[in-house]
Amino acid sequence: MIDFRSDTVTQPTEAMRLAMSRAEVGDDVYGDDPTVNSLQDMAAEMFGFDGALFVSSGTQANLLALMSHCERGDEYLCGQQAHNYKFEGGGAAVLGSIQPQPLNNQADGSILLSDIEAAIKPDDVHFAQTRLLSLENTIGGKVLSQDYLAQAQSLAFNRGLKIHLDGARIANAAVAQGIAMADITQYFDSVSICLSKGLCAPIGSILLGDERLIAKATRWRKMLGGGMRQAGIIAAAAKLALTEQVDRLADDHHNANTLAVLLADMTEFTVDVSLVQTNMVFATLAAHIDPKVLAVKLAQNGIIISPSRQLRLVTHKDISASDIGTFVNTLKQIIR
């Protein structure tokens, strides 16, 4: 099957499978798993942080960051389209008693600095205390500029806020700009990085921060049921995700751009090719096409999409350049 739903569907590489089968393991809750410890040390050094914590998912990494930065009744600022606001089940509010203050995302994915400034609550008993600014990079496949990140960091510092990055696809952002991931993480007090999307690990994310935050996050992880035992089996694959899969993302970006150009030539789709910066293509279907019917017919031809009037098509390791051509030709046959 050619699966465009998400880069979360990527299969682990053969090297990952071999590393997992040979991984040296211990009990990670006791801190005894050498492969997990090696991954955490490597990530902390790679991204310029005091410490790192290996967790089961990006959702958990973001929640641990929010709960470690904020206390009950505190508030974090984020975008309306932020994953840790819109797509993570309200975990910060439900489990952390932390109030989200969502702000409008601009077309480029950023939040206006003036909107952030205006949303910071005064020191008054009527208001939640604003503690944290949370950004996402990439967001909807779009890259936040380095200049914007520097300005956001300066604003947060001057207003006494901590700043967190949901960097689920930070590797895509770095590759798209031709810079190191550490060039992006330098602006943040904490960062979550997903290893099981375009980087192809079967499971796992990394949370980065200073010693105090990582110690607090470790306690929250245990309380939330996230303590893992012989986790070195999956950490072995996660190490290869960071060391062997980052540069390859350029292929995904190229394939996404090719797909956008080909779809833009079809009258049944509306695509702004200029907005395709990484591995996501957003294509609006013509009114006469039923997205659910289209999805069924594509599945009958070995292609999977998430049906919607605005399709999100995600390229990844398991979609080749020839698969892009197959998809477009199949679309033409079905539609016309």
Side-chain angles (χ1 to χ4, degrees), residues 90-138:
V94 174
L95 301 174
S97 298
I98 303 165
Q99 173 174 286
Q101 174 60 73
L103 305 172
N104 287 331
N105 289 104
Q106 302 302 302
D108 64 357
S110 67
I111 308 169
L112 291 178
L113 298 178
S114 57
D115 286 351
I116 296 171
E117 187 82 40
I120 299 172
K121 305 299 184 291
D123 185 9
D124 185 302
V125 295
H126 294 88
F127 301 107
Q129 293 181 295
T130 309
R131 296 294 191 193
L132 178 70
L133 170 62
S134 178
L135 301 177
E136 187 172 337
N137 194 17
T138 64

Side-chain angles (χ1 to χ4, degrees), residues 146-221:
Q146 292 293 94
D147 183 61
Y148 174 78
L149 297 184
Q151 293 179 58
Q153 181 197 43
S154 178
L155 187 159
F157 178 81
N158 290 330
R159 294 304 304 270
L161 305 182
K162 295 295 185 179
I163 182 169
H164 170 70
L165 177 67
D166 178 352
R169 294 182 175 89
I170 189 176
N172 293 89
V175 169
Q177 297 176 93
I179 60 177
M181 288 184 281
D183 293 331
I184 298 174
T185 62
Q186 66 176 316
Y187 297 110
F188 296 90
D189 296 299
S190 61
V191 178
S192 63
I193 299 176
C194 187
L195 306 173
S196 63
K197 292 186 171 70
L199 299 182
C200 306
I203 187 174
S205 287
I206 284 284
L207 175 63
L208 302 152
D210 61 22
E211 290 182 4
R212 182 204 65 82
L213 183 131
I214 295 301
K216 196 170 182 179
T218 302
R219 175 174 287 274
W220 282 124
R221 183 185 69 169

